[in-house]
Amino acid sequence: MPVFDYDPPERFVAGALGQPGARAFFLQARAEGRLTTVALEKLQVAALAGRLDELLDEVLRRSGGTAHIPALAPNDLTDDGPLETPLDEDFKVGTMALAWDPDTSQVVIEAQEIVDEEDEEAPEPALLRVRISAGAARAFTARALQIVAAGRPPCPLCGQPLDAEGHVCVRLNGYRGGEAAS
């Protein structure tokens, strides 16, 4: 099983390429001349960001406010730069895990390659493991949520993403948004 280990990375970001509605999402980690790029779904990016914030808030709560965890991303850790090129995907993410390491006060993020469980001869799945500070985790979360929100606007009736042509809204009994007669 190849393990791409970054402790800590020089850079760890989520990013997307393409037009809203047809974007591809990635995580990228870089350190010491190495670059690892893994593909994942938009919902996985959103879930990772949400769980990271929840994990940090829980650590802060359990410490009684004594843990060194910023409430917001520190400005000096903000990273709005594009994904690095060449964009060579190392693997597609299946499962992810989060942990708090109290000894180092770091968040541990693991993203494991999606595997075909029916293929008994398949090699062990690859793993991206990243250890980052609480501040870096808040910065990652802020960027990830911004990238997820930059997609297609939601339908005001059903919440599903709108295409340029509208969409078939379940709340309008199958009519396209904007086409329903009054």
Side-chain angles (χ1 to χ4, degrees), residues 24-27 37-41 44 89-94:
F25 291 82
F26 301 93
L27 298 178
T37 303
V38 298
L40 68 169
E41 299 295 324
Q44 289 174 297
E89 178 183 314
D90 290 290
F91 63 86
K92 182 146 177 79
V93 174

Side-chain angles (χ1 to χ4, degrees), residues 46-170:
L48 176 59
R51 295 290 185 212
L52 263 173
D53 263 350
E54 289 174 11
L55 173 68
L56 294 172
D57 291 345
E58 182 64 15
V59 169
L60 192 57
R61 187 188 69 76
R62 287 187 181 195
S63 75
T66 61
H68 296 290
I69 297 175
L72 300 172
N75 287 335
D76 61 327
L77 295 178
T78 299
D79 183 344
D80 293 325
L83 292 171
E84 295 185 37
T85 56
L87 196 68
D88 295 326
E89 178 183 314
D90 290 290
F91 63 86
K92 182 146 177 79
V93 174
T95 59
M96 293 184 292
L98 289 176
W100 174 256
D101 184 343
D103 295 333
T104 62
S105 296
Q106 289 180 313
V107 174
V108 181
I109 301 166
E110 291 185 349
Q112 184 174 335
E113 181 179 22
I114 195 165
V115 293
D116 180 4
E117 294 180 11
E118 295 178 15
D119 185 358
E120 294 177 14
E121 296 180 21
E124 287 289 313
L127 179 73
L128 170 63
R129 181 181 301 124
V130 179
R131 294 174 160 271
I132 55 176
S133 69
R138 291 283 195 206
F140 173 90
T141 296
R143 176 187 168 115
L145 291 175
Q146 185 177 34
I147 287 166
V148 168
R152 297 174 289 171
C155 171
L157 297 175
C158 71
Q160 293 298 311
L162 290 173
D163 293 324
E165 318 68 56
H167 77 138
V168 178
C169 181
V170 296

